[in-house]
Amino acid sequence: MSGPACPLPAAEDGVIERGHGGGGAMTARLVADLFRPCFGTAPETPLHDGATLAVGGARLAFTTDSFVVTPLEFPGGDIGSLAVIGTVNDLAMCGATPLSLSAGFILEEGFEIARLRRIAAAMGRAAAAAGVQVVTGDTKVVERGKGDGVYIATAGVGLIPPGVTIGPDQVRPGDTVLLSGDVGRHGIAVMAAREGLGFDPPVASDLACLAPTVAALIAAGVRLHCLRDLTRGGLATALVEIASAAGLELSIETDAVAVSEPVQGACEILGLDPWYVANEGRLVAFVPEPDAARALAILRAQPAGAAAAMIGRVRPAGGRARVLAETIGGARVLDLLSGEQLPRIC
Amino acid sequence: MKYLAEFRDPAAARRLAASIRARVSRPWTIMEICGGQTHSLLRHGIDQMLPEAVTLLHGPGCPVCVTAAEVIDTAIALAAMPGVTLCSFGDMARVPGSAGSLLGARARGADVRMVYSPLDAVALARAAPAREVVFLAVGFETTAPASAIAVLQAEAAGLANFSLLCAHVLVPPAIGALLAAPDNPVQGFLAAGHVCTVMGYDEYEPIARRFGVPIVVTGFEPVDLLHGLLACLTQLEDGRAEVENLYARSVRPGGNAVAQAALRRVFVPAPRIWRGMGEIAASGLDLAPAYAGFDARARFHPAIAAPIGPGPCLSGEILRGRRRPTDCPAFGTACTPDHPLGATMVSSEGACAAYHRYRRTAA
């Protein structure tokens, strides 16, 4: 055998890659190193699902999200319902009552109008169910071949009730971490639909509006320190981001995190970690320990909440800002994914 | 989940770990060949359950890690050719060659598609007769049969626009090369259960005899791995060096005859350069003369610059079990999954990526 030979890769930061939109470390770096400096955002401004704006005497939550999904319709939802519910959920994670949405459409020349009508009707139904109105919008058409049929960008505003302050900076040592259901359904459903992977039984997206869940928690007087809906990057990414923003250590009980058997099976086949697979209807909540049992009862009473659980706690201050998950032999440190999670070879 | 939960049972794992502690009387060094086993060992913390006398070394069994930079450079050169669609397994696409990765090439406009199976690439060739579809055929005996069947399907369908960039590798010659090295530290091997599911384990018998090392066919779950380790350590303590199958729920002695027949028909053994290990005789598979028409290199003559020489990366040492990921001064600092200096940090099955993901102490 000759000696080791492993050449240095060339730097790849010259152009945008798919991983920059993956919600992991590459996205975080793009936001921190490019967008925030260009926008003049103060470095200490917290990164959360939405911004809080003080307007007169009221506090508004303001958020935006863009939706690019292939295929446009998948088991459990479609790009239209996703565009409404995704933004409503981001408002709910600020503790806000969702009020109004905007919807911007980028349509590809040649896209069937009947299909657009189906998508728009799904948006209308999702908005009505969430109690919000789509009040403004925009439509652009790009040349055939320059889009995937339709892209939708939505923005939303909501009203934050007095006394509610939710964010990673509110997380306290000793807080209990709750998870609202099993994880990984949306990512597997979309991947299976896109790649024609026929899992039996098929996996449907967990797409669901979380605003009623948050409203029920607030109405019951649960002191919500932090909420985060688990979207791309999944449970692990949400926990790592919160631990990092809060500067605290989380310990997670691996067995408390529910993964449905079909999702587990798909992940085993594809070599994916379900904790990093996308969801669209699950949240984690950080609450003071005395409120945890009450919060859990409310989560379990929600639709699809049967698998809700207390999954861990915030360790005393002074530890490292990280997430530890227990294993058979010890503990592992959870990390942000680099780029997209890619299926393995063998 | 059936066939999973019982092999991840913490109580069973702890009992096996206790048996290992009771059995081990002196230091032993064992190598698991497969990158999937490396990840499972670290992910579940199995290495932390073993007595200090047992050293685990991580072998060259990550298909992404051992694929030479020259192959990736060739794939990128092919992808850059007009009319060519380059299909690759997903986790190969991020690995750097001498100048960038396939993902980088795609971002710059090359037609690079990620597929789950070489048969997807054949389907693509059938659907797009005006495109030349090249499948980057990497991996061990586990993935090679699917490549062989893709070639047979393309032949049967008369597809003239499908070809392979063939870089398949074989496990037994690599084990032989590791053991033949004069400073070899490895005293026992865990052989990869899925490779043996395809190939059986007859071909390990001469290696175990010649080098006097136990080789234990082992699965991938925590209980499987501890079972395999216990069997291997028991043989070492007893002074035996046998091939033993601890993954009988999947592995038969002769393996999968259909898969092997496809391999024999389409491929022939060939010398192969392993990343970090150099050339090993008869350690790869190339297309047999009857299927040479499916060879992308012969069809397109992709031109690449000479691969650049050794850098600071230790991955060659790591793949041969000489060093551990944490021995590298760049580990976790200059070299991370975001900015990998070598393949062992890029691949989802690479040893450095496993240590970085599961065992890094710095936040």
Side-chain angles (χ1 to χ4, degrees):
Chain A
M1 286 185 281
S2 67
C6 192
L8 284 168
E12 288 279 9
D13 48 12
V15 297
I16 289 294
E17 296 180 31
R18 293 283 297 275
H20 284 113
M26 287 175 78
T27 309
R29 221 173 28 245
L30 198 63
V31 171
D33 298 348
L34 193 150
F35 288 125
R36 286 169 69 114
C38 288
F39 297 161
T41 314
E44 65 276 12
T45 311
L47 280 170
H48 193 42
D49 282 340
T52 303
L53 309 174
V55 182
R59 285 182 309 147
L60 293 178
F62 180 44
T63 189
T64 185
D65 208 340
S66 307
F67 298 85
V68 292
V69 60
T70 311
L72 296 173
E73 288 152 295
F74 48 84
D78 68 287
I79 191 171
S81 48
L82 188 60
V84 168
I85 290 170
T87 292
V88 166
N89 284 351
D90 282 349
L91 293 172
M93 295 310 111
C94 305
T97 306
L99 297 176
S100 303
L101 301 184
S102 72
F105 294 86
I106 297 173
L107 306 172
E108 185 182 352
E109 183 185 18
F111 190 69
E112 286 173 44
I113 289 179
R115 218 166 158 204
L116 182 60
R117 186 185 302 281
R118 277 210 304 279
I119 290 168
M123 293 178 75
R125 284 194 300 274
V132 292
Q133 281 271 321
V134 179
V135 293
T136 183
D138 180 56
T139 307
K140 297 283 189 294
V141 177
V142 295
E143 270 178 67
R144 186 187 289 271
K146 298 205 169 164
D148 287 325
V150 54
Y151 301 139
I152 304 177
T154 51
V157 289
L159 190 61
I160 303 174
V164 172
T165 306
I166 293 171
D169 53 333
Q170 303 299 311
V171 174
R172 296 289 176 265
D175 278 0
T176 300
V177 185
L178 296 113
L179 170 64
S180 69
D182 64 316
V183 297
R185 287 177 187 260
H186 179 74
I188 295 297
V190 169
M191 184 181 281
R194 183 174 57 224
E195 308 294 344
L197 308 173
F199 293 121
D200 185 25
V203 177
S205 171
D206 60 322
L207 180 63
C209 181
L210 294 169
T213 308
V214 176
L217 290 166
I218 291 174
V222 172
R223 291 165 288 174
L224 294 168
H225 285 169
C226 188
L227 294 171
R228 182 68 57 96
D229 60 337
L230 313 178
T231 54
R232 65 187 174 173
L235 170 68
T237 301
L239 292 174
V240 172
E241 285 177 354
I242 291 169
S244 158
L248 290 164
E249 183 170 301
L250 313 181
S251 72
I252 302 299
E253 293 170 40
T254 302
D255 290 343
V257 176
V259 181
S260 75
E261 202 159 292
V263 169
Q264 181 72 47
C267 286
E268 292 296 329
I269 290 167
L270 297 169
L272 304 177
D273 184 338
W275 288 26
Y276 289 90
V277 175
N279 308 268
E280 288 293 347
R282 300 287 183 262
L283 61 79
V284 286
F286 288 67
V287 306
E289 196 271 328
D291 294 11
R294 204 153 28 107
L296 180 61
I298 291 166
L299 292 178
R300 289 226 167 119
Q302 302 298 313
M310 299 184 202
I311 61 164
R313 63 190 182 86
V314 183
R315 312 267 295 206
R320 277 190 288 261
R322 61 178 180 175
V323 184
L324 289 176
E326 63 170 32
T327 63
I328 287 176
R332 65 168 171 139
V333 180
L334 297 187
D335 203 356
L336 292 183
L337 280 189
S338 170
E340 296 174 279
Q341 203 175 198
L342 301 173
R344 70 167 166 223
I345 288 180
C346 65
Chain B
M1 169 168 245
K2 185 76 180 144
Y3 297 124
L4 210 52
E6 55 269 57
F7 296 100
R8 289 183 183 171
D9 175 19
R14 278 191 286 271
R15 279 196 299 275
L16 283 163
S19 303
I20 288 173
R21 279 194 299 275
R23 202 70 181 76
V24 169
S25 67
R26 55 204 161 108
W28 297 111
T29 298
I30 294 177
M31 174 181 276
E32 83 281 355
I33 285 291
C34 168
Q37 290 175 334
T38 305
H39 266 255
S40 192
L41 285 165
L42 276 110
R43 176 176 182 183
H44 296 288
I46 304 301
D47 55 327
Q48 295 168 325
M49 304 172 84
L50 299 176
E52 272 188 27
V54 177
T55 302
L56 290 181
L57 294 178
H58 314 304
C62 157
V64 169
C65 302
V66 301
T67 300
E70 178 266 333
V71 172
I72 297 161
D73 296 347
T74 305
I76 292 171
L78 284 167
M81 289 182 170
V84 170
T85 295
L86 193 289
C87 295
S88 169
F89 290 125
D91 61 354
M92 196 67 216
R94 199 154 45 204
V95 184
S98 304
S101 66
L102 282 166
L103 280 186
R106 184 168 78 175
R108 289 176 176 80
D111 187 4
V112 176
R113 313 270 182 100
M114 284 182 226
V115 295
Y116 292 81
S117 156
L119 303 183
D120 296 344
V122 174
L124 203 62
R126 193 178 283 126
R131 304 285 305 172
E132 280 286 349
V133 176
V134 180
F135 179 68
L136 172 52
V138 299
F140 291 94
E141 293 90 332
T142 45
T143 54
S147 295
I149 287 166
V151 168
L152 293 173
Q153 279 195 359
E155 181 193 38
L159 292 177
N161 64 330
F162 176 80
S163 56
L164 294 187
L165 173 54
C166 198
H168 284 298
V169 281
L170 301 170
V171 171
I175 294 185
L178 287 166
L179 288 170
D183 54 347
N184 160 58
V186 182
Q187 295 164 296
F189 279 95
L190 304 187
H194 55 354
V195 170
C196 296
T197 302
V198 177
M199 301 304 290
Y201 48 85
D202 294 343
E203 55 189 338
Y204 295 91
E205 300 279 1
I207 299 174
R209 269 200 306 278
R210 178 178 162 206
F211 295 101
V213 292
I215 301 177
V216 178
V217 179
T218 304
F220 300 85
E221 298 304 328
V223 169
D224 288 320
L225 289 161
L226 286 161
H227 244 139
L229 286 165
L230 177 59
C232 194
L233 289 161
T234 301
Q235 283 202 45
L236 288 167
E237 290 281 345
D238 293 348
R240 289 181 290 127
E242 297 159 9
V243 177
E244 197 173 345
N245 179 13
L246 267 284
Y247 197 42
R249 72 178 185 279
S250 175
V251 176
R252 303 285 173 272
N256 179 333
V258 175
Q260 291 171 32
L263 287 180
R264 276 195 303 273
R265 184 162 164 201
V266 173
F267 294 122
V268 288
R272 179 75 73 229
I273 294 172
W274 293 55
R275 195 167 193 157
M277 293 176 65
E279 183 172 304
I280 304 174
S283 69
L285 292 173
D286 274 348
L287 287 155
Y291 293 93
F294 290 95
D295 182 356
R297 291 175 199 267
R299 197 180 289 186
F300 303 105
H301 306 287
I304 58 164
I308 57 174
C313 176
L314 296 183
S315 65
E317 303 278 303
I318 289 162
L319 289 167
R320 290 185 297 142
R322 294 302 188 285
R323 309 282 283 275
R324 300 164 72 82
T326 45
D327 295 339
C328 179
F331 176 80
T333 53
C335 183
T336 65
D338 282 346
H339 283 288
L341 298 183
T344 46
M345 184 60 93
V346 184
S347 162
S348 61
E349 292 187 19
C352 295
Y355 274 75
H356 195 271
R357 187 149 171 202
Y358 301 126
R359 212 39 54 71
R360 193 168 38 107
T361 47

